[in-house]
């Protein structure tokens, strides 16, 4: 009987030792998902805040990383209206990473927002995941009083026509006719200027390719300047978007930039690639996280692929026509 108890204690001790690393790994970071309300009407908006709490030891460790989940624009019963950038707040000895999503729903009922996963790499370089708790949200319909009678539809009322009701439009039309006639008379009398020879300038695409090549040759992340590397990398892409597509990319947050490229088909086709690049860059610039060398190289590769995909077609110079009479 004593031998059986001894074997049982040894077995339990081994089991606890085997489970200990998994318990420590799962408790290394605290993640929370919470909303500002749990009840809305159809079409109203709700704020979802994702928070990751890190200790000073985790922040100072270059191997420790945490990546926020990327929630798609549409999921069961919910639509993403907007998403903010990730910001860092210090609370005593802790560091809190925040990101806010604005959601809405057009389906009435009680729905559950599913758990979201945070990708975590601990101090030893071991990958893991941390999950939030699901959130129940009630989406209510607008109350309609069915006891009241329906009001009849009013008939169309005719209004007598009066020319003085349109005098402002007639005045504007007469002014436009006079303005156009004056411009035609002016340009016909204006002497013709000699044709201006346009000096070829470098295109936005060529400038972006040149700057990416120069950034690679500087080897910033190899020298430990990770923040400057991602600042330069994203600025090159934003300047290219601004000059090539007319987007005020340098003044937008990452999320605003992703929303503004939707009307541009060729650029929107690279949306997922650009979102991944910007997410890593924001973590490196604002959360002081250190991506791996493979992630550095992958971000540069994504930037080059985005440039190549959106490269404007080459325009062949127009051939000068020869005069038939010499």
């Amino acid at each position: 009987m004593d031998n059986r108890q001894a074997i049982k204690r040894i077995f339990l001790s081994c089991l606890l030792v085997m489970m200990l690393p998994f318990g420590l790994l799962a408790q290394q970071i605290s993640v929370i998902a919470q909303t500002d309300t749990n009840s809305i009407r159809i079409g109203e908006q709700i704020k979802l805040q994702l928070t990751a709490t890190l200790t000073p030891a985790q922040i100072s460790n270059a191997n420790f990383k945490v990546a926020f989940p990327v929630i798609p624009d549409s999921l069961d019963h919910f639509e993403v209206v907007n998403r903010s950038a990730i910001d860092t707040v210090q609370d005593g000895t802790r560091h809190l990473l925040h990101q806010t999503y604005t959601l809405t729903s057009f389906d009435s009922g009680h729905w559950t927002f599913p758990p979201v996963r945070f990708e975590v790499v601990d101090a030893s370089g071991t990958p893991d995941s941390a999950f939030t708790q699901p959130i129940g949200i009630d989406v209510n319909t607008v109350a309609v009083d069915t006891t009241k009678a329906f009001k009849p539809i009013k008939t169309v009322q005719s209004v007598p026509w009066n020319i003085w009701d349109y005098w402002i439009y007639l005045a504007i039309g007469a002014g436009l006719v006079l303005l156009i006639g004056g411009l035609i008379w002016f340009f016909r009398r204006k002497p013709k200027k000699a044709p201006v020879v346009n000096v070829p300038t470098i295109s936005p695409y060529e400038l972006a390719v040149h700057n990416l090549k120069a950034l690679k040759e500087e080897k910033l992340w190899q020298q430990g300047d990770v923040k400057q590397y991602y600042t330069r990398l994203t600025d090159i892409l934003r300047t290219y978007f601004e000059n090539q597509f007319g987007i005020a990319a340098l003044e937008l947050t990452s999320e605003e930039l992703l929303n503004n490229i939707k009307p541009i088909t060729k650029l929107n086709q690279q949306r997922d690639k650009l979102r991944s690049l910007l997410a890593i860059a924001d973590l490196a610039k604002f959360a002081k996280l250190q991506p791996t060398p493979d992630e550095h190289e992958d971000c540069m590769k994504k930037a080059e692929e985005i440039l190549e995909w959106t490269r404007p077609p080459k325009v062949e110079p127009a051939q000068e026509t020869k005069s038939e009479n010499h």
Side-chain angles (χ1 to χ4, degrees), residues 161-175:
W161 185 84
N162 190 339
I163 190 172
W164 295 111
D165 293 337
Y166 305 96
W167 70 267
I168 188 170
Y169 303 105
L170 296 174
I172 293 173

Side-chain angles (χ1 to χ4, degrees), residues 51-326:
T51 305
T53 305
L54 282 69
T55 64
Q58 293 168 338
I59 286 291
S60 60
N61 193 304
N63 294 326
F64 187 89
K65 294 189 301 181
V66 56
F68 271 59
V70 178
I71 300 177
D73 292 341
S74 178
L75 60 161
D76 288 345
H77 308 296
F78 294 99
E79 301 287 338
V80 176
V81 178
N82 188 27
R83 48 170 67 84
S84 70
I86 301 172
D87 62 338
T88 304
V89 177
Q90 187 168 357
D91 181 14
T93 60
R94 303 180 304 167
H95 286 71
L96 306 179
L97 303 180
H98 294 283
Q99 186 176 25
T100 302
Y101 282 78
T102 302
L103 308 176
T104 189
S105 177
F106 298 97
D107 298 332
S108 62
H110 178 80
W111 312 120
T112 300
F113 189 85
V116 293
R117 182 178 66 180
F118 288 70
E119 299 291 344
V120 181
V121 177
D122 66 6
S124 64
T126 304
D128 193 18
S129 300
F131 291 86
T132 63
Q133 294 294 325
I135 303 174
I137 298 174
D138 292 318
V139 182
N140 304 309
T141 58
V142 178
V144 178
D145 189 354
T146 58
T147 61
K148 293 184 179 180
F150 290 99
K151 295 183 179 181
I153 300 175
K154 293 184 177 181
T155 59
V156 179
Q157 299 292 324
S158 60
V159 179
W161 185 84
N162 190 339
I163 190 172
W164 295 111
D165 293 337
Y166 305 96
W167 70 267
I168 188 170
Y169 303 105
L170 296 174
I172 293 173
L176 288 176
V177 170
L178 292 175
L179 177 61
I180 294 172
L183 291 175
I184 293 174
W185 176 83
F186 174 77
F187 284 110
R188 283 185 176 179
R189 290 177 56 87
K190 188 176 181 180
K192 295 182 179 180
K193 293 182 179 180
V196 179
V197 179
N198 295 323
V199 179
T201 58
I202 186 171
S203 67
Y205 167 80
E206 293 171 335
L207 178 61
V209 171
H210 172 77
N211 289 340
L212 281 182
K213 182 179 179 182
L215 179 59
K216 290 173 67 175
E217 293 174 353
E218 291 184 31
K219 298 183 178 180
L220 292 177
W221 67 264
Q222 292 90 332
Q223 301 173 15
D225 198 353
V226 175
K227 181 177 180 179
Q228 181 64 16
Y229 171 76
Y230 282 100
T231 300
R232 291 270 303 279
L233 179 62
T234 53
D235 283 350
I236 290 171
L237 285 179
R238 289 173 179 269
T239 302
Y240 169 68
F241 296 160
E242 193 161 295
N243 295 334
Q244 183 65 37
F245 302 106
I247 303 174
L250 293 172
E251 303 173 4
L252 302 175
T253 64
S254 297
E255 189 55 37
E256 291 172 342
L257 176 59
L258 291 170
N259 287 333
N260 283 358
I261 67 173
K262 288 182 178 180
I264 304 172
T265 302
K266 291 190 67 175
L267 193 54
N268 194 44
Q269 290 170 349
Q270 300 295 302
R271 178 186 181 84
D272 293 338
K273 198 171 295 182
L274 179 60
R275 184 193 297 278
S276 175
L277 188 155
L278 292 176
I280 295 177
D282 288 344
L283 288 174
K285 290 189 295 183
F286 305 117
K288 300 180 181 180
L289 298 181
Q290 298 290 328
T292 63
D294 289 340
E295 289 174 322
H296 297 320
E297 297 288 353
D298 185 61
C299 286
M300 176 61 72
K301 182 180 178 182
K302 283 185 171 64
E304 292 173 338
E305 290 173 351
I306 292 171
L307 286 180
E308 189 60 29
W309 185 264
T310 60
R311 177 178 183 176
K314 293 183 178 180
V315 179
E316 297 294 335
Q319 297 182 353
E320 296 182 357
T321 58
K322 296 183 179 180
S323 175
E324 296 181 357
N325 298 323
H326 297 280

Side-chain angles (χ1 to χ4, degrees), residues 33-51:
Q34 56 187 2
T35 57
D36 58 348
T37 180
N38 291 331
S39 178
I40 61 172
R41 290 182 296 181
I42 285 181
E44 288 185 339
Q45 296 182 355
I46 186 172
K47 298 291 185 181
L48 170 69
Q49 186 174 84
L50 305 181
T51 305

